[in-house]
Structures are given as C-alpha cells and as structure tokens.
Amino acid sequence: MIKELDLIIVGGGPIGIACGLEAQKKGLHYLILEKGPIVNSLFNYPVNMQFFSSSEKLEIDEIPFISKEAKPKRNEALEYYRRIVTSNKLNIHLFEKVSSIQKEQAIFEVKTERQEFTAKNVIIATGFYDLPNKLNIPGEDLAKVSHYYKDPHFYASQKLAVIGASNSAVDAALECWRKGAEVTMIIRGPEIGQRVKYWVRPDILNRISEGSIKAYYNTTVSEIKHKELILSTPDGTQKLENDFVLALTGYKPNFHFLEALGIHLSDDSKRLPTYDEDTMETNIEGLFLAGVICGGMETHKWFIENSRVHAKMIINHIVKKRSVPA
Ligand SMILES: Cc1cc2nc3c(=O)[nH]c(=O)nc-3n(C[C@H](O)[C@H](O)[C@H](O)COP(=O)(O)OP(=O)(O)OC[C@H]3O[C@@H](n4cnc5c(N)ncnc54)[C@H](O)[C@@H]3O)c2cc1C
C-alpha cells in the first residue's frame, strides 16, 4: 500500500531519532524506518563501552540525559534514546530495512522489505557501522575472525590478536587482557593512534612497554590460518600462534546506497557526499543527509556531539520550503 508522507527518515540511530522528534514538534507527517532495534549501532557496541562525550553532549533537543558518571555507558545511552522514542511516541517502524529509494518527479518512492511508501522529502541517517573496512586477506572469513568486539569474557585464556591501533582496538586489547586473554596488537603504522582517548593512551603504552600486551608495529597480517597468523614485519615474515582475531580497522558508509540514490561523491579517497552545509540537502532536491553518514571515509569527523544539530537544520528548511508557495 502506498502512503504519502511529508518525510521519511532512513535509520533510527541517535540522529535519525533527533530528526523524527523535530519533525513531530513541527507537525510534519513523518516516519522513521530502522532495519534493527532502536539505535541499532549503539546496541551492537561493546557491552562495557563508555562514551568519550559527557552525557549532556549526547542529548537530543535538550532533553536531560542523566548518567551515573560524567561519561555515560552504552546501557545508559540505550535507555536514554529508547525513552525518547517511547515517551514521545515517535512514529518508527523497527526491523524494517529500506531496500531502495527512487524519485519520480517531485515524490520519493521508498521500498522496504515489507511495503512501499511515498514522501516529499527523505533524510538518510544510516551511519557507517554496518560495513567494516575489510583486510582482504586469505582466512578473513574464518569463524575465529570478527570485525566487531562485544564482550571480553569470550577471549579469556585465549591467544587473541587485535588488528588496529585506534580507540576501538585499544579498548578491546586492554579489556581482554584484563580478563585473562593473551593479547597481541598488530599495528600497520609506527605507533598507537594519536586520536586514542587521552586518558586511555598512557594505559596501553604502559601495558605494551612492560610486556603485558605484545605489539608489532609497522606490521600487517598477510594470512589468517586456523591456529596461526602470518605477519609481514619489518624483520620479515613471522608466524604467530593464534586462537581469535579482532580486526578493528574501522567502518565505512554504504556508498553504493548513496550512489544508487544519485548523490554525488568526491572522486578522491575521501568519497565525500555533496550537500549544502546550511540545509544538509544533497544535490537531489528534497533528499538530505544527517549524522555520521556525511563524513564519507572521514568517519572520525562526525559523531553524535557535533551532528545532532543536523535535525533542526533540516526540519527548519523543510518547514520553510513548505510555507513558500511553489
Ligand atoms: C565505540 C564507539 C564509541 C563512540 N563514542 C562516541 C562518543 O563518546 N560521543 C559521540 O558523540 N559519538 C560517539 N561515537 C560515534 C556515535 O556512536 C555515532 O556518531 C552515532 O551512532 C551516529 O549516529 P547516526 O544516527 O548518524 O548513525 P547510527 O547510530 O549508526 O545509526 C544509523 C542507523 O541506520 C540504520 N540503517 C542502516 N541502513 C539502513 C537501511 N537500509 N534501512 C533502515 N535502517 C538502516 C542502522 O541500523 C542504524 O540504527 C562512538 C562510536 C563508536 C563505534
């Protein structure tokens, strides 16, 4: 059945929810379509994860976010965003993935796995957590390899290799070592990432220098086997005994989805999408980007703290456009 709306928001992460809340306040006929549970990406973050932002910086529409410590934990964030959705009775369909969007004249046809909608405007707020940056090496598809870290208990008494040197890799290495894993970090560059949280970086550097966690610098993994890894190190090829691999080498937006919509991406390695920085409208009229999807491969540039403003920018523009007769 075709239902025409003022606005469809694709993605029910923190920023999609912020857009829905703002649309509701302004009386727009809107719908959020989310392929998983409420704030699916946050749900899939490590169970003990603590945000680097303090809670007020993660607030939507100045609705107070109270957390036990200054920087909230994943569970507190799930509670906060869930309550925003349920208390405000936001119009959201969960576990309903958007498979395609097409513009016919001035109207968008949005297809999900279950049904079809039409809308005058669409916001893409799909984040980047679904697609890991693959290593593209033999053995990457083995069951012992994961691109997502969840719980340190799983790795206790196991030989764990953590590939990467950013916040996610460092948090995983430290947590798993503290729960009894034998941790080795494989680091492509010469050092632990400079963007690692300033209160965590000394911890990992000290654990490496005292030998509790082993680190190979300027090293890549060339093959993953059932019981060992083949490393390319500055001293030549080496074998490393191994039970599990956490390949925490970052994630990327779904560029195919954006390109299929007709959104222009830069030709360089950054793959930056085209949008107006005042309205967030893309090169296609009525199609907007919100949240971390805006950063292309520069996934560190946008986060909840600095992208929550997108909601008001977009909705104000849609409302203004609506009040101007064509
Ligand atoms: C470990 C970690 C720690 C972080 N700490 C902080 C922090 O302290 N402070 C901060 O500001 N930021 C932090 N971030 C970043 C922050 O979590 C993200 O910026 C935030 O989730 C972005 O929100 P978003 O709504 O743009 O995207 P997301 O939260 O990724 O939401 C996108 C949603 O779109 C859905 N989706 C995707 N494709 C489809 C489709 N085809 N159909 C329907 N739904 C779809 C997904 O299921 C998902 O729920 C952290 C990130 C990580 C990984």
Side-chain angles (χ1 to χ4, degrees), residues 143-156:
K144 69 179 210 170
V145 182
S146 176
H147 293 275
Y148 295 90
Y149 165 61
K150 197 75 191 167
D151 192 328
H153 175 84
F154 185 81
Y155 302 103

Side-chain angles (χ1 to χ4, degrees), residues 23-306:
Q24 183 158 297
K25 276 172 47 184
K26 294 285 162 66
L28 294 182
H29 193 203
Y30 77 97
L31 170 64
I32 306 171
L33 293 166
E34 165 55 56
K35 73 178 177 129
I38 299 167
V39 290
N40 187 30
S41 299
L42 274 58
F43 175 73
N44 285 307
Y45 285 174
V47 283
N48 303 318
M49 176 253 184
Q50 185 163 28
F51 284 82
F52 57 78
S53 306
S54 46
S55 51
E56 77 281 359
K57 299 216 166 110
L58 302 174
E59 286 170 357
I60 289 177
D61 200 31
E62 293 172 17
I63 298 170
F65 182 171
I66 315 293
S67 58
K68 212 164 144 203
E69 295 171 45
K71 296 174 195 301
K73 298 269 177 68
R74 164 186 168 274
N75 276 354
E76 293 174 304
L78 292 182
E79 184 72 32
Y80 176 73
Y81 294 115
R82 184 173 66 241
R83 290 293 292 273
I84 289 192
V85 170
T86 55
S87 305
N88 293 284
K89 298 187 173 56
L90 293 190
N91 190 23
I92 182 166
H93 288 192
L94 298 171
F95 300 98
E96 185 161 351
K97 183 176 179 176
V98 172
S99 44
S100 73
I101 302 175
Q102 279 196 325
K103 193 175 181 190
E104 287 299 330
Q105 293 170 0
I107 297 296
F108 292 92
E109 293 174 1
V110 179
K111 280 192 188 149
T112 74
E113 289 157 334
R114 290 188 223 149
Q115 51 196 322
E116 197 173 317
F117 300 91
T118 54
K120 295 186 187 80
N121 300 282
V122 171
I123 300 175
I124 307 295
T126 47
F128 58 70
Y129 203 57
D130 289 331
L131 294 177
N133 291 322
K134 291 281 182 84
L135 302 167
N136 296 318
I137 55 169
E140 190 170 11
D141 295 333
L142 290 174
K144 69 179 210 170
V145 182
S146 176
H147 293 275
Y148 295 90
Y149 165 61
K150 197 75 191 167
D151 192 328
H153 175 84
F154 185 81
Y155 302 103
S157 306
Q158 297 296 294
K159 292 183 175 60
L160 171 68
V162 178
I163 305 175
S166 64
N167 275 301
S168 304
V170 167
D171 285 349
L174 286 168
E175 269 199 1
C176 293
W177 170 70
R178 294 209 154 93
K179 301 296 176 205
E182 196 182 305
V183 178
T184 304
M185 295 188 77
I186 321 284
I187 299 166
R188 191 173 51 177
E191 60 176 5
I192 290 290
Q194 285 295 338
R195 280 197 292 265
V196 169
K197 292 167 274 196
Y198 66 85
W199 61 96
V200 175
R201 205 163 186 275
D203 190 5
I204 188 69
L205 292 178
N206 288 336
R207 301 294 74 75
I208 291 172
S209 64
E210 72 188 15
S212 304
I213 292 178
K214 192 170 166 51
Y216 284 88
Y217 294 104
N218 299 306
T219 296
T220 54
V221 180
S222 49
E223 185 173 356
I224 301 172
K225 298 187 174 193
H226 283 283
K227 278 292 168 195
E228 64 186 16
L229 304 184
I230 310 297
L231 307 181
S232 300
T233 79
D235 303 323
T237 302
Q238 289 194 28
K239 288 181 180 173
L240 177 71
E241 275 189 59
N242 171 262
D243 297 311
F244 289 100
V245 176
L246 282 171
L248 302 178
T249 47
Y251 306 90
K252 59 182 171 194
N254 188 340
F255 294 118
H256 294 305
F257 190 66
L258 298 184
E259 281 177 319
L261 293 172
I263 296 174
H264 296 154
L265 303 178
S266 66
D267 290 334
D268 55 13
S269 58
K270 294 182 183 166
R271 311 231 65 204
L272 294 170
T274 301
Y275 61 89
D276 181 318
E277 288 182 10
D278 296 323
T279 64
M280 307 309 291
E281 193 164 23
T282 65
N283 52 292
I284 296 167
E285 198 183 348
L287 182 60
F288 300 82
L289 294 180
V292 299
I293 186 88
C294 300
M297 285 305 283
E298 295 195 300
T299 49
H300 59 278
K301 286 232 163 141
W302 293 104
F303 27 99
I304 302 170
E305 249 192 81
N306 64 359

